[in-house]
Amino acid sequence: MEKETKTEVLNHSEGVEVRLTAKGINIRAIILLFVLLLAGTLLFVYIWGEFSAYGVGYEIGGAAKKFTNEKASLAIISIFAIYIFLQAGILYWFGGKDRKALHWQLNLTAAGFYLARPIALKYYRVALLLPGILLGVPPTIHGFCTGNAHIFYLGLLGILSASGDATFWYKLRTFDDEDLLLANKGIFQVTIIKRNYGKKD
């Protein structure tokens, strides 16, 4: 595991290496967890419950209790599994439909598939953002509009599952859509091969 707590950009003759460290990912995920939980609960209770310290505390406690039972644990595992395989499907589709190019990574930095061949950055950005949007936004909106706290919090969990990918998407924002990305060292350690060398970052 890398000891650094921030992202790194390293220049190489064949491209630019961009790396996101495990601590950087985990710190952002924890911050996002508290922000989503607090802001989401405040908004949910304001519309559907008793807007008071007791009401907010009761809803957070109820959510924690719901997610400790067997069915909820299975739902949480399912969300992460669907997220990983949905992202793998997007990478497979945009990566030339070559199953052998998909590689599995599991460590303290990330868990999931990465594509061990160059892919246009615009397609990689879709793979970073689309799974979290699909698994997080619709359930959150549905749960909020119907007053179903269980679905609402599952949606927030879907958004949270994309925290690392969203952070990496933000880190890659300065590069051009047509640049090539090679993730042969892992999910959050890639090399950007610039196609437009005359263009400033």
Side-chain angles (χ1 to χ4, degrees):
M1 184 178 78
E2 299 290 339
K3 293 183 179 179
E4 296 88 343
T5 59
K6 60 183 181 179
T7 55
E8 295 183 6
V9 177
L10 307 172
N11 289 312
H12 290 280
S13 58
E14 66 275 10
V16 179
E17 184 178 321
V18 182
R19 179 170 53 188
L20 192 61
T21 63
K23 285 186 179 180
I25 297 169
N26 294 335
I27 289 171
R28 288 173 177 85
I30 291 170
I31 293 172
L32 182 61
L33 171 64
F34 283 108
V35 170
L36 282 177
L37 185 62
L38 183 59
T41 301
L42 285 172
L43 188 58
F44 190 85
V45 171
Y46 180 76
I47 300 297
W48 295 104
E50 178 189 344
F51 191 69
S52 64
Y54 173 79
V56 173
Y58 180 82
E59 193 61 50
I60 292 176
K65 188 176 179 181
K66 288 174 185 175
F67 286 116
T68 55
N69 63 43
E70 217 172 276
K71 288 183 179 179
S73 299
L74 183 61
I76 292 170
I77 293 171
S78 297
I79 285 175
F80 283 108
I82 293 170
Y83 184 97
I84 288 171
F85 285 102
L86 180 58
Q87 189 170 64
I90 296 170
L91 289 173
Y92 170 79
W93 182 265
F94 287 128
K97 301 179 182 178
D98 183 5
R99 189 172 54 84
K100 292 181 180 179
L102 283 175
H103 293 269
W104 171 257
Q105 180 183 27
L106 176 62
N107 56 35
L108 294 175
T109 306
F113 291 92
Y114 66 93
L115 194 64
R117 63 181 296 177
I119 182 175
L121 190 53
K122 60 183 176 183
Y123 300 131
Y124 193 76
R125 286 176 170 143
V126 173
L128 287 175
L129 294 182
L130 189 58
I133 292 172
L134 292 178
L135 292 176
V137 176
T140 301
I141 294 174
H142 174 74
F144 181 78
C145 291
T146 60
N148 188 323
H150 187 69
I151 300 297
F152 177 73
Y153 284 109
L154 281 177
L156 291 184
L157 184 63
I159 295 173
L160 178 65
S161 65
S163 59
D165 287 336
T167 301
F168 204 47
W169 172 85
Y170 184 76
K171 185 63 183 176
L172 296 170
R173 74 193 184 283
T174 58
F175 297 99
D176 191 83
D177 277 346
E178 298 304 322
D179 291 340
L180 294 178
L181 179 143
L182 182 60
N184 59 351
K185 295 183 179 179
I187 297 172
F188 294 128
Q189 187 172 353
V190 303
T191 299
I192 304 296
I193 303 168
K194 295 187 177 183
R195 287 184 171 180
N196 300 316
Y197 288 96
K199 199 172 181 180
K200 294 182 179 179
D201 288 346

